[in-house]
Amino acid sequence: MSGDGIPHDARPLRRQKLSEALAERLLGWIEDGMLPPGADLPSERGLMVKLGVGRSTVREAVAQLERMGVVSVGQGARARVTLPTTTALVAALDGPVRHLLAEWQGGLDALKDARLETEAAMVRLAARRWQAEHLEPLRDSVAELTRLAARVAEKGAARMDAFLAEDQRFHGLLGDATGNAVLAGMVRGMGQFLARHHTARRTPPEALARNTEATVAEHAAILRALARRHPDDAEAALRAHLGRAHALYQRRSRRAPPDNSVSPA
């Protein structure tokens, strides 16, 4: 590594879209540990001179790495290598998944199926790895959902955003109980991707009240099974919950569900 932070054997980039090639080169340096988390990327000028590329190429490559969640770019500062997180991964996938769900007729059903099978396996693992400290956060979430369900019954769809956010948080906490950050991140991501397809604002208030109450009861059943460390019961409760709930996630081009449609998830 030379004084400018660029390896001595770095070669000029040729025959490929230069911004993509440069992004791959920088990613290779990061993966090899030459640019660890927290390190600044080499300066624009240094990359331009050493690798024989223009300023726009450098900026496009850095922007690509930023979209991947590999670097962060601050105002007036060099891009910095970030510590990988599942949150960054989900954020990087958000745009492509939105496009996929909008354009692929079967995409939403495929995502719901993936979520169901992932969470079914997840709660089994959570039951096997259950620890006493997992109880309080999930119990607090059920209590908060109970409070928010009462607000939905009183105010209707205007209070659904808070309920849905807490609902997603509960499912994320289930992932946390596995001790597997990848699973937890996947569950949070799928919940986030599905959220914009929820039909709550097209559902009559009476149906919303019934559905939120049912959701609270189903979450409580999942929690009871986990607290007993019973994988079969936890999976059965989770499948019953999502099997009912997933009917509320629909492509916008389709008609809203009937009044007895299922609850949020």
Side-chain angles (χ1 to χ4, degrees):
M1 186 78 72
S2 60
D4 55 10
I6 301 174
H8 293 293
D9 61 351
R11 301 179 306 280
L13 302 171
R14 306 189 193 287
R15 295 187 180 178
Q16 184 179 3
K17 186 176 180 182
L18 289 179
S19 61
E20 294 178 358
L22 176 55
E24 290 177 8
R25 183 76 61 86
L26 291 170
L27 186 59
W29 295 347
I30 292 168
E31 292 173 343
D32 290 343
M34 291 185 289
L35 293 170
D40 290 339
L41 292 189
S43 68
E44 282 187 356
R45 183 65 180 168
L47 291 169
M48 291 165 59
V49 172
K50 191 77 173 184
L51 299 179
V53 297
R55 189 180 302 276
S56 62
T57 296
V58 174
R59 291 182 176 178
E60 288 173 14
V62 171
Q64 181 178 335
L65 294 178
E66 184 180 23
R67 289 192 297 271
M68 294 168 62
V70 175
V71 304
S72 61
V73 181
Q75 186 69 29
R78 286 194 197 180
R80 178 167 294 178
V81 181
T82 60
L83 186 67
T85 66
T86 53
T87 300
L89 177 60
V90 169
L93 290 174
D94 185 65
V97 172
R98 287 183 65 173
H99 182 63
L100 176 70
L101 295 181
E103 299 300 326
W104 178 28
Q105 185 70 32
L108 186 59
D109 287 338
L111 181 58
K112 289 189 287 189
D113 285 346
R115 183 195 189 194
L116 176 61
E117 297 306 322
T118 299
E119 291 205 28
M122 176 190 72
V123 293
R124 295 189 67 87
L125 183 60
R128 292 197 298 270
R129 295 181 175 178
W130 184 260
Q131 300 294 326
E133 61 264 25
H134 297 147
L135 178 61
E136 185 174 355
L138 284 161
R139 186 168 54 193
D140 288 348
S141 181
V142 171
E144 179 64 6
L145 284 168
T146 302
R147 185 187 72 80
L148 292 170
R151 297 290 288 165
V152 171
E154 178 185 353
K155 300 292 185 179
R159 295 293 182 269
M160 276 301 295
D161 286 348
F163 186 90
L164 291 172
E166 184 60 34
D167 178 74
Q168 289 186 41
R169 194 176 81 87
F170 177 89
H171 286 261
L173 290 170
L174 293 178
D176 292 340
T178 67
N180 186 313
V182 173
L183 266 178
M186 289 172 60
V187 166
R188 287 186 170 94
M190 286 187 282
Q192 177 180 313
F193 300 148
L194 284 168
R196 60 178 55 92
H197 292 273
H198 201 282
T199 60
R201 295 193 180 279
R202 292 182 280 150
T203 304
E206 298 81 5
L208 278 181
R210 292 194 301 269
N211 294 333
T212 53
E213 289 173 4
T215 295
V216 172
E218 291 163 356
H219 282 199
I222 295 169
L223 179 54
R224 286 194 299 272
L226 289 174
R228 295 197 306 270
R229 298 179 174 84
H230 201 299
D232 290 343
D233 288 353
E235 179 182 355
L238 186 283
R239 286 186 178 276
H241 170 50
L242 289 188
R244 213 172 63 85
H246 273 173
L248 262 184
Y249 296 94
Q250 298 182 1
R251 288 173 60 91
R252 289 189 175 91
S253 60
R254 296 175 58 185
R255 294 177 59 85
D259 289 1
N260 63 349
S261 58
V262 300
S263 67

